[in-house]
C-alpha cells in the first residue's frame, strides 16, 4: 500500500460530518492529523463537543481537535439545527467526551501543519469555509504549501438545499468560499448535485445497529433524525451522506469522474446569496479554478462505507 495520505479534516459536526470522521478513522489509506472545527450545522461549542465525542467513539483519542471560527467572516451565523438536531447529532446521545480540545486555534493548526510538510497535506473541508479562508489570509504561503483542498459544497448544476440557489456550506459563509475559490490551491469540489443522491436508507442503517455495537447504534440514532428531516423537507427516503462521500475521494479518487470548471460565488444579492456560478464551458478563455465531481459510483461508495463501519466496530468493540 502507498503511504497514507495525510489529511486535516475541517468540519462542523453535524451528522454526516460525524460519519466522515468515523470513515477517516476506519480507513488505513488516510492519516488523520487533526480535526479543525468550524461553526455551521450547529454552534462552534456544540460542534467541538460533538467532534470530541465522535473521536472517542471511533477510537480517535489520539487525534487532536482544534476549535476554530465561531461565525462567518461577514454574514450573521446560520446554523442547521433543523437538519442535524438540537445539539447537532440527531437522536444520538453520546457520553460527554473526556478528551479536551487542543489550545491552539484551528487556523494556526492548519497553517503550522501545512507549512511543516509542503506539498503533502490535503485539507478536507466539509463545513463552511471560514477556517480555511482565514488561514489563507493569515498566511499567504499556505496556498502554495497545501497539496490540495477537497471540499464538500456548492450546487453547481442543481437547486440548492438551503435556498433555491445555494448549498449550505457555501451559503453559510460565501465570502470565505470566494477566498478559497480564488486562492489558487488545487481544489476538488464534491457538490450537492452529486451528494444529494448518495443516500443511506433505514434498512442499511438498521443492519449496523446490532445490540452491543455502539458505532452502529450511534449511526442509527443520528441518521434516524436526518432521514426524518429528508422525508419532511425533500420528500424522499434516506439521507444524503455528503461529507464521507467527499472524504472518500482522497483515497479512492476513481470513485468519481471530474471536469475542470471555473466557479465563482454570489456574495451580494440577498436573493441568490451563496449561489455558485459554474462555468463548465470556460467561456472567454477562463482558466479553471477547480475540478468538480460530475459522476460518482454511489453503490460502490455505500458498500465501502458500511463495510468500513463494520470493520471499525469489530476492531473497537469485538
Ligand atoms: C453540507 O451541509 C451540511 O448540513 C452537511 O454537513 C454538509 O456538509 C451539505 O449541504
Ligand atoms: Ca458538514
Amino acid at each position: 500500500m502507498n503511504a497514507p495520505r495525510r489529511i486535516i479534516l475541517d468540519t462542523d459536526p453535524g451528522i454526516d460530518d460525524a460519519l466522515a470522521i468515523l470513515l477517516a478513522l476506519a480507513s488505513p489509506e488516510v492519516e488523520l492529523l487533526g480535526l479543525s472545527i468550524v461553526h455551521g450545522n450547529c454552534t462552534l461549542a456544540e460542534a467541538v463537543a460533538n467532534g470530541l465525542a465522535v473521536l472517542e467513539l471511533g477510537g480517535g483519542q489520539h487525534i487532536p481537535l482544534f476549535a476554530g471560527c465561531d461565525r462567518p467572516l461577514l454574514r450573521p451565523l446560520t446554523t442547521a439545527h433543523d437538519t442535524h438536531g438540537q445539539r447537532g447529532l440527531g437522536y444520538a446521545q453520546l457520553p460527554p467526551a473526556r478528551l479536551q480540545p487542543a489550545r491552539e486555534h484551528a487556523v494556526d493548526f492548519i497553517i503550522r501543519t501545512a507549512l511543516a510538510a509542503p506539498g503533502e497535506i490535503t485539507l478536507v473541508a466539509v463545513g463552511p469555509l471560514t477556517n480555511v479562508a482565514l488561514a489563507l489570509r493569515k498566511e499567504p504561503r499556505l496556498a502554495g504549501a497545501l497539496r490540495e483542498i477537497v471540499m464538500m459544497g456548492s450546487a453547481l448544476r442543481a437547486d440548492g438545499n438551503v435556498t433555491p440557489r445555494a448549498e449550505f456550506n457555501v451559503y453559510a459563509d460565501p465570502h470565505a468560499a470566494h477566498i478559497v475559490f480564488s486562492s489558487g490551491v488545487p481544489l476538488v469540489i464534491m457538490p450537492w448535485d452529486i451528494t444529494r443522491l448518495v443516500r443511506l436508507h433505514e434498512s442499511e442503517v438498521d443492519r449496523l445497529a446490532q445490540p452491543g455495537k455502539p458505532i452502529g447504534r450511534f449511526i442509527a440514532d443520528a441518521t434516524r433524525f436526518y432521514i426524518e428531516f429528508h422525508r419532511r423537507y425533500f420528500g424522499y427516503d434516506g439521507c444524503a451522506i455528503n461529507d464521507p462521500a467527499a472524504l472518500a475521494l482522497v483515497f479512492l479518487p476513481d470513485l468519481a469522474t471530474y471536469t475542470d470548471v471555473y466557479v465563482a460565488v454570489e456574495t451580494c444579492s440577498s436573493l441568490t446569496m451563496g449561489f455558485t456560478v459554474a462555468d463548465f464551458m470556460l467561456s472567454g478563455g477562463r482558466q479553471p479554478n477547480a475540478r468538480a465531481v460530475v459522476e460518482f459510483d454511489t453503490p460502490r461508495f455505500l458498500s465501502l462505507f458500511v463495510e468500513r463501519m463494520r470493520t471499525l466496530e469489530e476492531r473497537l468493540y469485538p
Side-chain angles (χ1 to χ4, degrees):
M1 197 172 81
N2 295 331
R5 285 279 296 272
R6 306 175 72 201
I7 68 165
I8 295 170
L9 182 58
D10 191 78
T11 174
D12 58 333
I15 295 169
D16 58 329
D17 299 78
L19 302 184
I21 296 169
L22 292 173
L23 183 60
L25 294 172
S27 298
E29 303 92 337
V30 299
E31 184 187 350
L32 181 57
L33 301 176
L35 298 183
S36 53
I37 304 292
V38 67
H39 69 87
N41 289 322
C42 41
T43 65
L44 180 72
E46 289 164 340
V48 165
N50 294 342
L52 292 169
V54 173
L55 280 177
E56 269 192 17
L57 173 74
Q61 289 84 345
H62 56 292
I63 311 280
L65 176 148
F66 301 83
C69 299
D70 71 350
R71 67 197 70 188
L73 295 181
L74 296 178
R75 305 226 337 122
L77 180 67
T78 305
T79 58
H81 287 99
D82 55 341
T83 314
H84 293 266
Q86 211 183 3
R87 291 203 308 271
L89 293 178
Y91 294 125
Q93 292 197 332
L94 293 176
R98 279 159 304 194
L99 294 172
Q100 292 292 318
R103 294 176 96 86
E104 192 177 17
H105 192 281
V107 162
D108 296 316
F109 163 66
I110 293 171
I111 293 170
R112 174 173 62 77
T113 308
L115 291 193
E120 283 183 29
I121 308 301
T122 297
L123 183 52
V124 183
V126 296
L129 291 159
T130 319
N131 286 344
V132 183
L134 206 59
L136 287 163
R137 279 290 185 266
K138 185 172 183 195
E139 175 47 87
R141 291 175 298 166
L142 178 63
L146 284 168
R147 176 174 174 149
E148 66 178 351
I149 296 174
V150 176
M151 64 167 277
M152 189 281 132
S154 308
L156 300 178
R157 283 174 164 145
D159 287 347
N161 59 359
V162 59
T163 75
R165 294 270 64 87
E167 178 280 333
F168 179 80
N169 286 341
V170 173
Y171 178 81
D173 196 343
H175 301 92
H178 169 78
I179 290 173
V180 173
F181 292 159
S182 53
S183 67
V185 180
L187 177 66
V188 173
I189 298 181
M190 179 57 141
W192 166 247
D193 319 28
I194 300 290
T195 62
R196 73 199 166 103
L197 300 170
V198 183
R199 294 183 199 152
L200 206 56
H201 297 92
E202 239 159 335
S203 54
E204 288 140 348
V205 165
D206 287 347
R207 278 201 296 276
L208 286 170
Q210 302 298 322
K213 299 292 177 201
I215 293 179
R217 180 80 269 147
F218 167 75
I219 295 173
D221 290 344
T223 56
R224 196 155 23 93
F225 184 95
Y226 207 31
I227 288 170
E228 286 171 9
F229 167 81
H230 280 70
R231 191 172 297 130
R232 209 169 51 243
Y233 190 77
F234 297 115
Y236 55 63
D237 283 339
C239 58
I241 53 168
N242 316 282
D243 295 348
L247 181 108
L249 297 174
V250 173
F251 60 92
L252 274 181
D254 67 346
L255 280 169
T257 52
Y258 307 81
T259 299
D260 283 349
V261 63
Y262 175 82
V263 182
V265 55
E266 174 61 58
T267 55
C268 297
S269 157
S270 56
L271 197 59
T272 56
M273 181 68 71
F275 174 43
T276 37
V277 181
D279 184 352
F280 285 96
M281 296 182 302
L282 301 173
S283 55
R286 267 184 181 140
Q287 291 303 305
N289 58 357
R291 286 191 308 137
V293 174
V294 290
E295 281 171 42
F296 188 69
D297 189 342
T298 296
R300 187 174 156 219
F301 166 73
L302 286 176
S303 57
L304 170 112
F305 176 77
V306 170
E307 195 41 50
R308 295 270 163 122
M309 292 305 103
R310 280 219 182 89
T311 315
L312 184 66
E313 184 103 80
E314 276 313 307
R315 175 154 59 84
L316 297 173
Y317 307 98

